[in-house]
Amino acid sequence: MKEPLILIIDDNFDSRLAVRSALRKKGYLFLEAQDAKEGIDMAIEHNPDLIIMDIMMPQINGYEALRIIKGSDKTKHIPVLIVSALSSMNEKIVALEYGADGMLTKPFDRIHLAEQIEALVGFYKNGLNTKAEIIEQKERLDNVLHRQSEELIRYYYTDALTGLPNRSQLIKDIVNAVNSSLILIDIDGFKDIVYFYGHETGDLCLKSFALKIKQLLKGDKYKHYRISGDIFAVLVKECSAAEELNNLMRQFVYEMNRTNFLCEGHEMHFRFTVGASMFESELLISAEKALKTAKTANKTILLYDEKSEEFRFYEQNIFWVNKIVEAISCDNIVTFYQPIINNKTHKIEKYECLVRIIERDGTIYAPIKFLDISKKSKHYAAITKNVIEKSFKKFKNSDCQFSINLSAKDMIDSEISEYIYDKLNSFNGCNRVIFELLESEGVENYSAVYAFISKVKEYGCQIAIDDFGSGYSNFIHLLRLKVDIIKIDGSLIRDLDIDENAQIMVQTIVDFAKKLGILTVAEFVHSESISRIVKDLGVDYSQGYFIGEPSNEI
């Protein structure tokens, strides 16, 4: 009987040598390929009884090689055993999906390797064996594959670093949880520990933290998990009383605060946040809400309570994030335009572009409802680009100037600034474009903001300071940024007819602006009397509901 022929495909010589050494007493014949392409060619030419292959190889990786081998009539019958340093559950599942007949992790156990090879070679060469031998070999193969399946399942439900059950296992366990509570523990600032001390020290800290949790909350009543990077969970059985759970968390925090962790010679004292829930219908989700809300409110411990103001605020944020996502995908982000008149000619010369969300039923939402949460949820750039796109399109054939609100962060955000430059490059009439910088948000990086301002001014655009007077109102601000227009905040304009101090402030701003050659716009002009005083004070332009409400038409 011909000795079984095994083809080893691996770009690492030491790895190929390790496989041969593990099997040297088995009497196998070997072929070796240094890359996948060479291995595929050898498989076609020599028709080996088994292929042992690595995943990480140059040019063609093991996954692609598997696909080719299992897709060819000439080689699809050849069993393939993956032996790779990649050990994650995902990697193993992908290998099996591509057609691998088995998988071992480097460094491999020699006995397991020999077992798998003997089973695979024997079963697939059953044409040379008796019926009893075939049955025996198939049982051996089934045992090997069964053990491997159990290993995959274990990997899938276990955190590799700490050995604790993972998020997937927690989700399974919650399904059957009765009268149970869930505690989530998040190590605050863990990224800083990794940054300063390195990943190895960070891993040791996580292991030590996991061990301490198990020591403090021990017994059959508790089951412990690591559900993500620095977040741990404890499922507490037979615990459905708020007072009991709060006492448990307080005692846990007390003990943890007394603990110093020694990791590679570094003494660590962790800060952490604890969120918990007894809301069994959504145990994990509600506990995660408690944890996030606790971090936002700067609390160490928080138990989920759907009726509390904190959680109503959280739910409201989720509501608006969903609204924003839907509005972006359905093109329900719209731009309204508010007219600005010249106080001398009484003609509309400018418009301010204002963002709105319009529901399918016609409901209109102002930016005060959704703009802040859009920044926190990282949808702000999409909204800003949407306003820019629609504003440029709207005023393409108009003689009026139009202004777009930008924060200092927008001006130094490469995604937004490059988008603006692209628009200006193709727009005929850049001298009609005004960018309004929100004075109330302040400017931290003057050099970067000034670089943006200088760039757009090269196109002929103007710069306005919006809400001037609502923040620190630093007049040096105007000089450093070389603005063209000051928009006086509504808080100063609103009560001009009854507030003498506001009149003095506005007059000061106007006089200062005129000496610098800067135009002024009064915001929130809401009545005839306010409009008259604004003109008497020498303000160049007026904007407000008395002049005209925002509309999607101009």
Side-chain angles (χ1 to χ4, degrees):
M1 182 186 297
K2 187 183 76 171
E3 297 296 336
L5 177 63
I6 296 176
L7 170 60
I8 307 172
I9 307 174
D10 197 318
D11 62 321
N12 186 294
F13 173 80
D14 290 336
S15 295
R16 300 197 303 271
L17 178 61
V19 173
R20 292 201 317 271
S21 298
L23 304 172
R24 67 181 183 274
K25 296 181 179 180
K26 300 294 182 180
Y28 298 130
L29 301 176
F30 295 99
L31 289 172
E32 295 184 30
Q34 300 181 43
D35 59 55
K37 184 180 184 305
E38 182 184 11
I40 293 168
D41 292 340
M42 284 186 173
I44 294 172
E45 180 180 354
H46 298 284
N47 190 29
D49 298 291
L50 175 68
I51 297 173
I52 300 176
M53 184 164 60
D54 189 21
I55 289 294
M56 301 302 293
M57 291 185 289
Q59 298 178 343
I60 301 176
N61 63 35
Y63 296 133
E64 179 63 15
L66 259 175
R67 187 188 65 77
I68 294 171
I69 290 169
K70 291 299 183 179
S72 169
D73 289 337
K74 295 182 179 179
T75 55
K76 65 182 180 181
H77 63 284
I78 304 172
V80 179
L81 175 64
I82 297 297
V83 181
S84 172
L86 299 176
S87 60
S88 74
M89 177 63 180
N90 285 342
E91 302 293 350
K92 291 190 173 187
I93 289 175
V94 170
L96 292 174
E97 287 177 343
Y98 270 87
D101 296 272
M103 185 167 185
L104 285 178
T105 302
K106 295 179 182 178
F108 54 80
D109 181 281
R110 292 188 172 203
I111 295 175
H112 285 172
L113 176 66
E115 269 187 356
Q116 286 223 29
I117 290 175
E118 188 174 349
L120 288 169
V121 171
F123 181 65
Y124 282 93
K125 296 297 290 182
N126 59 43
L128 301 176
N129 300 326
T130 67
K131 184 176 181 180
E133 289 174 328
I134 292 172
I135 294 173
E136 181 184 352
Q137 289 162 1
K138 187 177 187 307
E139 287 176 349
R140 289 167 60 193
L141 177 61
D142 287 343
N143 288 334
V144 170
L145 295 180
H146 178 71
R147 188 173 63 214
Q148 189 173 52
S149 297
E150 288 182 334
E151 181 186 354
L152 285 173
I153 292 170
R154 187 171 66 253
Y155 269 102
Y156 186 73
Y157 290 111
T158 304
D159 173 54
L161 178 65
T162 63
L164 293 176
N166 61 16
R167 185 186 183 90
S168 297
Q169 183 65 55
L170 174 60
I171 291 171
K172 274 187 65 179
D173 293 344
I174 284 174
V175 173
N176 301 316
V178 178
N179 294 328
S180 297
S181 300
L182 181 64
I183 300 172
L184 300 184
I185 307 155
D186 186 359
I187 303 175
D188 297 332
F190 184 72
K191 290 181 181 178
D192 294 334
I193 294 174
V194 175
Y195 177 79
F196 284 113
Y197 299 105
H199 286 282
E200 290 186 7
T201 300
D203 287 348
L204 286 175
C205 288
L206 291 173
K207 290 180 180 180
S208 299
F209 196 79
L211 183 61
K212 190 64 179 178
I213 292 174
K214 292 175 71 174
Q215 289 174 348
L216 292 178
L217 301 173
K218 59 185 177 181
D220 294 338
K221 185 174 182 177
Y222 306 103
K223 188 167 183 180
H224 316 85
Y225 309 80
R226 180 186 176 213
I227 62 172
S228 67
D230 58 356
I231 300 179
F232 294 82
V234 180
L235 187 62
V236 188
K237 301 175 184 177
E238 301 300 325
C239 179
S240 56
E243 184 178 358
E244 178 187 359
L245 187 56
N246 274 315
N247 288 337
L248 179 65
M249 289 191 290
R250 281 192 287 266
Q251 183 63 30
F252 173 80
V253 168
Y254 172 76
E255 295 295 341
M256 273 294 194
N257 284 335
R258 299 172 58 198
T259 303
N260 288 326
F261 295 86
L262 190 64
C263 303
E264 286 197 330
H266 305 291
E267 191 173 277
M268 307 284 186
H269 183 79
F270 296 128
R271 293 176 294 104
F272 52 91
T273 304
V274 181
S277 175
M278 301 178 298
F279 191 55
E280 285 193 347
S281 62
E282 292 183 345
L283 197 55
L284 179 55
I285 293 173
S286 57
E288 288 177 331
K289 289 178 182 178
L291 183 63
K292 290 179 182 179
T293 305
K295 293 179 78 69
T296 302
N298 199 28
K299 293 185 175 182
T300 302
I301 297 172
L302 189 61
L303 177 60
Y304 178 76
D305 179 2
E306 60 182 331
K307 296 179 181 178
S308 73
E309 185 64 32
E310 290 169 314
F311 289 103
R312 281 202 297 269
F313 178 74
Y314 181 89
E315 295 290 350
Q316 193 71 4
N317 285 347
I318 296 297
F319 170 83
W320 280 110
V321 169
N322 292 334
K323 285 283 186 192
I324 291 166
V325 171
E326 181 183 6
I328 293 172
S329 62
C330 298
D331 197 27
N332 289 337
I333 302 291
V334 298
T335 308
F336 275 32
Y337 312 96
Q338 187 169 31
I340 302 171
I341 65 164
N342 186 314
N343 285 334
K344 291 182 179 178
T345 66
H346 305 290
K347 292 182 178 179
I348 296 173
E349 294 184 1
K350 311 176 193 294
Y351 287 88
E352 180 178 0
C353 304
L354 303 166
V355 67
R356 300 285 190 270
I357 287 179
I358 296 187
E359 292 270 61
R360 294 177 182 177
D361 62 2
T363 304
I364 300 173
Y365 296 113
I368 193 172
K369 294 281 191 180
F370 61 85
L371 212 53
D372 282 345
I373 192 63
S374 75
K375 295 175 182 178
K376 295 175 183 177
S377 61
K378 300 183 179 179
H379 293 98
Y380 178 73
I383 293 175
T384 301
K385 288 162 69 174
N386 195 301
V387 171
I388 293 168
E389 168 72 28
K390 290 177 177 175
S391 299
F392 272 71
K393 184 176 181 180
K394 191 73 171 181
F395 289 92
K396 181 178 181 180
N397 299 315
S398 171
D399 293 329
C400 290
Q401 289 185 305
F402 62 99
S403 61
I404 297 171
N405 290 289
L406 296 177
S407 68
K409 290 181 180 179
D410 294 330
M411 293 182 174
I412 63 178
D413 184 298
S414 59
E415 179 184 355
I416 293 176
S417 60
E418 290 298 328
Y419 186 80
I420 289 172
Y421 302 149
D422 287 343
K423 285 294 176 186
L424 294 173
N425 280 325
S426 59
F427 188 70
N428 184 19
C430 294
N431 61 322
R432 292 187 286 109
V433 181
I434 303 168
F435 293 107
E436 295 189 18
L437 174 61
L438 300 175
E439 191 268 353
S440 59
E441 291 195 0
V443 177
E444 296 178 359
N445 190 340
Y446 267 99
S447 59
V449 171
Y450 185 71
F452 172 86
I453 290 174
S454 299
K455 178 88 171 179
V456 297
K457 281 198 167 190
E458 290 177 5
Y459 288 95
C461 303
Q462 291 184 309
I463 298 296
I465 291 288
D466 194 16
D467 298 334
F468 191 80
S470 64
Y472 45 82
S473 299
N474 190 336
F475 286 101
I476 299 300
H477 202 45
L478 308 177
L479 300 176
R480 295 178 71 178
L481 296 177
K482 298 184 179 180
V483 302
D484 305 288
I485 301 168
I486 290 174
K487 299 193 74 175
I488 305 171
D489 186 64
S491 63
L492 294 174
I493 303 298
R494 182 185 295 109
D495 299 323
L496 271 181
D497 52 352
I498 58 174
D499 189 341
E500 187 175 338
N501 289 332
Q503 291 184 25
I504 294 171
M505 186 65 182
V506 171
Q507 186 69 72
T508 302
I509 294 172
V510 170
D511 292 344
F512 184 79
K514 286 187 182 299
K515 290 178 182 179
L516 294 175
I518 298 174
L519 296 173
T520 51
V521 178
E523 298 182 299
F524 212 85
V525 177
H526 59 88
S527 68
E528 184 177 354
S529 62
I530 297 294
S531 176
R532 184 177 60 255
I533 294 171
V534 163
K535 293 174 185 176
D536 291 344
L537 291 173
V539 179
D540 298 302
Y541 292 88
S542 290
Q543 176 182 355
Y545 273 49
F546 179 73
I547 308 303
E549 297 183 18
S551 168
N552 57 358
E553 297 297 334
I554 60 174

